[in-house]
Amino acid sequence: MNEGLIDAVTSRVLEALSGSLPPALLIGQEPPESLGYRYVEAPPYEAVVIGSLTPGELLFFRREPVLQALLEGMPVYLYTPGLPGKGSKNRALLARLGSAQRELKAWGVVFTDGQPHRRLISAEVARQLRAQNAPPPPGATLTPLARDILQGPGEPPGGA
């Protein structure tokens, strides 16, 4: 067999497969689990994935692309195994890190562990589900904008 040909075909197939995933700006390290995006380093992208943060980055979070994405209503996901502080003996610092996490959640950052049972539903997917009059899959994590889209006008909060 021609090893070069096999490598070339394999590369083309992998490129085609990764091209079908929507682009997401990656902050930090790439999560080991697939979150349903291909990672890019510059616009255009449809979401932001924060794969990891250092303690200092979490405590004083001011990443401009993330803040801009949140202002625009773009989904921002934080991969929770990439959070710092697990196993720390310093309770005061752990409390402060927890407070910083709550602040990110309040801003609209969606925390995910990357497990397949917790599929991330973005606004675009929510629009498709709404057009089909279909509910989100069980155990799905909805972005705040996706939740609003699925609830629609005139429905009570928490209906999705």
Side-chain angles (χ1 to χ4, degrees), residues 82-123:
L83 286 170
K86 292 174 181 62
S88 174
K89 307 279 190 252
N90 186 323
R91 291 175 54 185
L93 183 55
L94 278 177
R96 180 61 181 97
L97 290 170
S99 174
Q101 290 177 33
R102 287 188 296 279
E103 182 177 38
L104 289 178
K105 281 185 181 181
W107 290 352
V109 174
V110 177
F111 284 47
T112 182
D113 60 5
Q115 297 299 313
H117 66 277
R118 302 195 65 174
R119 182 169 175 224
L120 301 171
I121 304 295
S122 67

Short mmCIF file of all heavy atoms in Angstrom, two decimals, residues 82-123:
data_model
loop_
_atom_site.label_atom_id
_atom_site.label_comp_id
_atom_site.label_asym_id
_atom_site.label_seq_id
_atom_site.Cartn_x
_atom_site.Cartn_y
_atom_site.Cartn_z
N GLY A 82 -11.62 22.23 33.31
CA GLY A 82 -10.50 23.13 33.11
C GLY A 82 -10.43 24.26 34.13
O GLY A 82 -9.60 25.15 34.04
N LEU A 83 -11.32 24.23 35.14
CA LEU A 83 -11.31 25.27 36.18
C LEU A 83 -10.24 24.99 37.23
O LEU A 83 -10.02 23.84 37.59
CB LEU A 83 -12.68 25.35 36.87
CG LEU A 83 -13.78 26.00 36.05
CD1 LEU A 83 -15.13 25.81 36.73
CD2 LEU A 83 -13.49 27.47 35.84
N PRO A 84 -9.61 26.04 37.74
CA PRO A 84 -8.57 25.85 38.76
C PRO A 84 -9.17 25.68 40.15
O PRO A 84 -10.32 26.01 40.40
CB PRO A 84 -7.78 27.16 38.68
CG PRO A 84 -8.78 28.18 38.25
CD PRO A 84 -9.72 27.43 37.32
N GLY A 85 -8.35 25.15 41.07
CA GLY A 85 -8.69 25.14 42.49
C GLY A 85 -9.11 23.81 43.05
O GLY A 85 -9.26 23.67 44.27
N LYS A 86 -9.32 22.81 42.21
CA LYS A 86 -9.75 21.52 42.74
C LYS A 86 -8.67 20.94 43.64
O LYS A 86 -7.52 20.89 43.29
CB LYS A 86 -10.07 20.56 41.60
CG LYS A 86 -11.29 20.98 40.81
CD LYS A 86 -11.48 20.09 39.59
CE LYS A 86 -12.65 20.49 38.77
NZ LYS A 86 -12.61 21.81 38.20
N GLY A 87 -9.05 20.54 44.83
CA GLY A 87 -8.11 19.93 45.76
C GLY A 87 -7.28 20.92 46.57
O GLY A 87 -6.39 20.52 47.30
N SER A 88 -7.58 22.20 46.45
CA SER A 88 -6.82 23.20 47.20
C SER A 88 -7.16 23.15 48.68
O SER A 88 -8.29 22.87 49.07
CB SER A 88 -7.12 24.60 46.65
OG SER A 88 -6.49 25.58 47.46
N LYS A 89 -6.19 23.42 49.51
CA LYS A 89 -6.38 23.45 50.96
C LYS A 89 -6.73 24.85 51.47
O LYS A 89 -7.12 25.02 52.61
CB LYS A 89 -5.11 22.96 51.66
CG LYS A 89 -4.61 21.61 51.20
CD LYS A 89 -5.38 20.50 51.85
CE LYS A 89 -4.74 19.17 51.57
NZ LYS A 89 -5.46 18.34 50.67
N ASN A 90 -6.59 25.86 50.61
CA ASN A 90 -6.82 27.25 51.01
C ASN A 90 -8.31 27.58 50.83
O ASN A 90 -8.77 27.88 49.73
CB ASN A 90 -5.95 28.18 50.17
CG ASN A 90 -6.01 29.60 50.63
OD1 ASN A 90 -7.05 30.09 51.04
ND2 ASN A 90 -4.88 30.29 50.53
N ARG A 91 -9.06 27.54 51.92
CA ARG A 91 -10.50 27.74 51.85
C ARG A 91 -10.88 29.15 51.42
O ARG A 91 -11.87 29.35 50.72
CB ARG A 91 -11.12 27.41 53.20
CG ARG A 91 -11.04 25.91 53.48
CD ARG A 91 -11.53 25.53 54.84
NE ARG A 91 -12.87 26.04 55.07
CZ ARG A 91 -13.50 25.94 56.22
NH1 ARG A 91 -12.91 25.36 57.24
NH2 ARG A 91 -14.72 26.42 56.37
N ALA A 92 -10.12 30.14 51.84
CA ALA A 92 -10.44 31.52 51.47
C ALA A 92 -10.29 31.72 49.95
O ALA A 92 -11.14 32.35 49.31
CB ALA A 92 -9.54 32.49 52.22
N LEU A 93 -9.23 31.16 49.39
CA LEU A 93 -9.02 31.28 47.94
C LEU A 93 -10.08 30.49 47.19
O LEU A 93 -10.61 30.95 46.16
CB LEU A 93 -7.62 30.80 47.55
CG LEU A 93 -7.25 30.93 46.07
CD1 LEU A 93 -7.42 32.37 45.59
CD2 LEU A 93 -5.84 30.46 45.85
N LEU A 94 -10.44 29.30 47.68
CA LEU A 94 -11.49 28.51 47.04
C LEU A 94 -12.81 29.27 47.03
O LEU A 94 -13.56 29.23 46.05
CB LEU A 94 -11.67 27.18 47.75
CG LEU A 94 -10.70 26.07 47.36
CD1 LEU A 94 -10.94 24.82 48.19
CD2 LEU A 94 -10.81 25.76 45.88
N ALA A 95 -13.11 29.96 48.13
CA ALA A 95 -14.35 30.75 48.20
C ALA A 95 -14.33 31.86 47.16
O ALA A 95 -15.34 32.13 46.50
CB ALA A 95 -14.53 31.33 49.60
N ARG A 96 -13.21 32.51 47.00
CA ARG A 96 -13.09 33.60 46.02
C ARG A 96 -13.20 33.06 44.59
O ARG A 96 -13.85 33.68 43.73
CB ARG A 96 -11.77 34.34 46.23
CG ARG A 96 -11.52 35.49 45.29
CD ARG A 96 -12.60 36.58 45.42
NE ARG A 96 -12.35 37.64 44.49
CZ ARG A 96 -12.93 37.74 43.29
NH1 ARG A 96 -13.82 36.87 42.90
NH2 ARG A 96 -12.62 38.73 42.48
N LEU A 97 -12.59 31.89 44.33
CA LEU A 97 -12.71 31.28 43.00
C LEU A 97 -14.16 30.90 42.72
O LEU A 97 -14.66 31.07 41.61
CB LEU A 97 -11.80 30.04 42.89
CG LEU A 97 -10.29 30.32 42.83
CD1 LEU A 97 -9.51 29.02 42.98
CD2 LEU A 97 -9.91 31.05 41.57
N GLY A 98 -14.86 30.40 43.73
CA GLY A 98 -16.28 30.07 43.58
C GLY A 98 -17.11 31.31 43.27
O GLY A 98 -18.03 31.27 42.45
N SER A 99 -16.78 32.41 43.92
CA SER A 99 -17.47 33.67 43.66
C SER A 99 -17.24 34.13 42.22
O SER A 99 -18.16 34.60 41.55
CB SER A 99 -16.99 34.73 44.65
OG SER A 99 -17.54 35.98 44.35
N ALA A 100 -16.02 33.97 41.73
CA ALA A 100 -15.69 34.35 40.35
C ALA A 100 -16.47 33.48 39.36
O ALA A 100 -16.95 33.97 38.33
CB ALA A 100 -14.19 34.24 40.11
N GLN A 101 -16.64 32.19 39.68
CA GLN A 101 -17.43 31.31 38.82
C GLN A 101 -18.89 31.75 38.78
O GLN A 101 -19.51 31.76 37.72
CB GLN A 101 -17.34 29.87 39.32
CG GLN A 101 -15.98 29.24 39.11
CD GLN A 101 -15.91 27.84 39.69
OE1 GLN A 101 -16.90 27.11 39.69
NE2 GLN A 101 -14.75 27.45 40.17
N ARG A 102 -19.43 32.10 39.93
CA ARG A 102 -20.82 32.56 39.98
C ARG A 102 -21.00 33.84 39.15
O ARG A 102 -22.04 34.04 38.51
CB ARG A 102 -21.28 32.76 41.42
CG ARG A 102 -21.51 31.44 42.15
CD ARG A 102 -22.13 31.63 43.51
NE ARG A 102 -21.28 32.35 44.44
CZ ARG A 102 -20.29 31.81 45.13
NH1 ARG A 102 -20.02 30.53 45.01
NH2 ARG A 102 -19.57 32.55 45.96
N GLU A 103 -20.00 34.70 39.18
CA GLU A 103 -20.07 35.93 38.39
C GLU A 103 -20.12 35.60 36.89
O GLU A 103 -20.94 36.18 36.16
CB GLU A 103 -18.87 36.83 38.69
CG GLU A 103 -18.91 38.14 37.93
CD GLU A 103 -17.76 39.06 38.29
OE1 GLU A 103 -16.63 38.58 38.50
OE2 GLU A 103 -18.01 40.28 38.35
N LEU A 104 -19.31 34.67 36.44
CA LEU A 104 -19.33 34.28 35.03
C LEU A 104 -20.69 33.70 34.65
O LEU A 104 -21.22 33.99 33.58
CB LEU A 104 -18.21 33.27 34.72
CG LEU A 104 -16.78 33.82 34.73
CD1 LEU A 104 -15.79 32.70 34.47
CD2 LEU A 104 -16.61 34.94 33.72
N LYS A 105 -21.26 32.88 35.53
CA LYS A 105 -22.59 32.32 35.26
C LYS A 105 -23.62 33.44 35.16
O LYS A 105 -24.51 33.41 34.30
CB LYS A 105 -22.99 31.34 36.36
CG LYS A 105 -22.36 29.98 36.21
CD LYS A 105 -22.90 29.03 37.26
CE LYS A 105 -22.25 27.68 37.12
NZ LYS A 105 -22.76 26.72 38.12
N ALA A 106 -23.52 34.43 36.04
CA ALA A 106 -24.46 35.55 36.01
C ALA A 106 -24.34 36.33 34.71
O ALA A 106 -25.34 36.89 34.22
CB ALA A 106 -24.22 36.48 37.21
N TRP A 107 -23.17 36.37 34.12
CA TRP A 107 -22.97 37.06 32.85
C TRP A 107 -23.56 36.29 31.68
O TRP A 107 -23.71 36.83 30.59
CB TRP A 107 -21.49 37.28 32.58
CG TRP A 107 -20.81 38.27 33.48
CD1 TRP A 107 -21.39 39.10 34.39
CD2 TRP A 107 -19.42 38.53 33.54
NE1 TRP A 107 -20.44 39.85 35.02
CE2 TRP A 107 -19.21 39.53 34.52
CE3 TRP A 107 -18.31 38.02 32.88
CZ2 TRP A 107 -17.95 40.02 34.83
CZ3 TRP A 107 -17.06 38.51 33.19
CH2 TRP A 107 -16.89 39.51 34.16
N GLY A 108 -23.84 34.99 31.88
CA GLY A 108 -24.40 34.17 30.81
C GLY A 108 -23.47 33.10 30.29
O GLY A 108 -23.81 32.42 29.31
N VAL A 109 -22.32 32.91 30.91
CA VAL A 109 -21.42 31.83 30.50
C VAL A 109 -22.06 30.50 30.91
O VAL A 109 -22.53 30.34 32.04
CB VAL A 109 -20.02 31.99 31.15
CG1 VAL A 109 -19.13 30.79 30.84
CG2 VAL A 109 -19.36 33.28 30.69
N VAL A 110 -22.09 29.56 29.99
CA VAL A 110 -22.68 28.24 30.24
C VAL A 110 -21.57 27.29 30.64
O VAL A 110 -20.60 27.10 29.90
CB VAL A 110 -23.41 27.71 28.99
CG1 VAL A 110 -23.95 26.31 29.23
CG2 VAL A 110 -24.51 28.66 28.58
N PHE A 111 -21.71 26.69 31.82
CA PHE A 111 -20.71 25.74 32.31
C PHE A 111 -21.08 24.35 31.81
O PHE A 111 -22.24 23.94 31.88
CB PHE A 111 -20.69 25.74 33.84
CG PHE A 111 -19.98 26.93 34.43
CD1 PHE A 111 -20.23 28.22 33.98
CD2 PHE A 111 -19.05 26.78 35.44
CE1 PHE A 111 -19.59 29.32 34.52
CE2 PHE A 111 -18.39 27.87 35.99
CZ PHE A 111 -18.66 29.14 35.53
N THR A 112 -20.10 23.62 31.30
CA THR A 112 -20.33 22.27 30.79
C THR A 112 -19.18 21.37 31.17
O THR A 112 -18.03 21.81 31.25
CB THR A 112 -20.54 22.27 29.27
OG1 THR A 112 -20.80 20.94 28.85
CG2 THR A 112 -19.32 22.80 28.53
N ASP A 113 -19.51 20.11 31.42
CA ASP A 113 -18.47 19.13 31.71
C ASP A 113 -18.08 18.35 30.46
O ASP A 113 -17.23 17.48 30.51
CB ASP A 113 -18.88 18.19 32.84
CG ASP A 113 -20.15 17.40 32.53
OD1 ASP A 113 -20.65 17.50 31.40
OD2 ASP A 113 -20.63 16.70 33.42
N GLY A 114 -18.73 18.64 29.33
CA GLY A 114 -18.39 18.00 28.07
C GLY A 114 -18.99 16.62 27.88
O GLY A 114 -18.75 15.98 26.88
N GLN A 115 -19.79 16.16 28.83
CA GLN A 115 -20.39 14.84 28.71
C GLN A 115 -21.43 14.85 27.60
O GLN A 115 -22.17 15.82 27.46
CB GLN A 115 -21.02 14.41 30.03
CG GLN A 115 -20.01 14.27 31.16
CD GLN A 115 -18.95 13.24 30.86
OE1 GLN A 115 -19.24 12.14 30.43
NE2 GLN A 115 -17.70 13.60 31.07
N PRO A 116 -21.54 13.76 26.83
CA PRO A 116 -22.48 13.74 25.72
C PRO A 116 -23.94 13.87 26.15
O PRO A 116 -24.75 14.33 25.40
CB PRO A 116 -22.23 12.39 25.05
CG PRO A 116 -21.42 11.59 26.00
CD PRO A 116 -20.75 12.55 26.93
N HIS A 117 -24.27 13.49 27.38
CA HIS A 117 -25.65 13.60 27.83
C HIS A 117 -26.04 15.04 28.12
O HIS A 117 -27.19 15.31 28.37
CB HIS A 117 -25.87 12.75 29.09
CG HIS A 117 -25.10 13.24 30.28
ND1 HIS A 117 -23.78 12.92 30.48
CD2 HIS A 117 -25.45 14.04 31.31
CE1 HIS A 117 -23.36 13.50 31.60
NE2 HIS A 117 -24.35 14.18 32.12
N ARG A 118 -25.09 15.93 28.03
CA ARG A 118 -25.38 17.34 28.29
C ARG A 118 -25.11 18.15 27.04
O ARG A 118 -24.29 19.05 27.05
CB ARG A 118 -24.52 17.81 29.46
CG ARG A 118 -24.79 16.95 30.69
CD ARG A 118 -24.28 17.56 31.88
NE ARG A 118 -25.02 18.78 32.10
CZ ARG A 118 -24.87 19.53 33.15
NH1 ARG A 118 -24.06 19.18 34.08
NH2 ARG A 118 -25.57 20.63 33.30
N ARG A 119 -25.81 17.86 25.98
CA ARG A 119 -25.62 18.55 24.71
C ARG A 119 -25.88 20.04 24.87
O ARG A 119 -26.84 20.45 25.51
CB ARG A 119 -26.57 17.96 23.68
CG ARG A 119 -26.39 18.61 22.33
CD ARG A 119 -27.12 17.86 21.27
NE ARG A 119 -26.97 18.64 20.04
CZ ARG A 119 -27.96 18.87 19.22
NH1 ARG A 119 -29.14 18.37 19.43
NH2 ARG A 119 -27.77 19.58 18.14
N LEU A 120 -25.01 20.84 24.28
CA LEU A 120 -25.13 22.29 24.34
C LEU A 120 -26.07 22.76 23.23
O LEU A 120 -25.88 22.44 22.06
CB LEU A 120 -23.76 22.94 24.18
CG LEU A 120 -22.73 22.54 25.22
CD1 LEU A 120 -21.36 23.06 24.84
CD2 LEU A 120 -23.13 23.04 26.58
N ILE A 121 -27.09 23.52 23.61
CA ILE A 121 -28.04 24.04 22.64
C ILE A 121 -27.81 25.54 22.49
O ILE A 121 -28.02 26.30 23.43
CB ILE A 121 -29.50 23.78 23.09
CG1 ILE A 121 -29.74 22.29 23.32
CG2 ILE A 121 -30.48 24.34 22.08
CD1 ILE A 121 -29.62 21.42 22.10
N SER A 122 -27.36 25.94 21.31
CA SER A 122 -27.11 27.36 21.03
C SER A 122 -28.39 28.00 20.50
O SER A 122 -29.39 27.33 20.25
CB SER A 122 -25.99 27.50 19.99
OG SER A 122 -26.44 26.98 18.75
N ALA A 123 -28.36 29.30 20.30
CA ALA A 123 -29.52 30.03 19.78
C ALA A 123 -29.90 29.51 18.39
O ALA A 123 -31.08 29.35 18.09
CB ALA A 123 -29.22 31.52 19.73
#
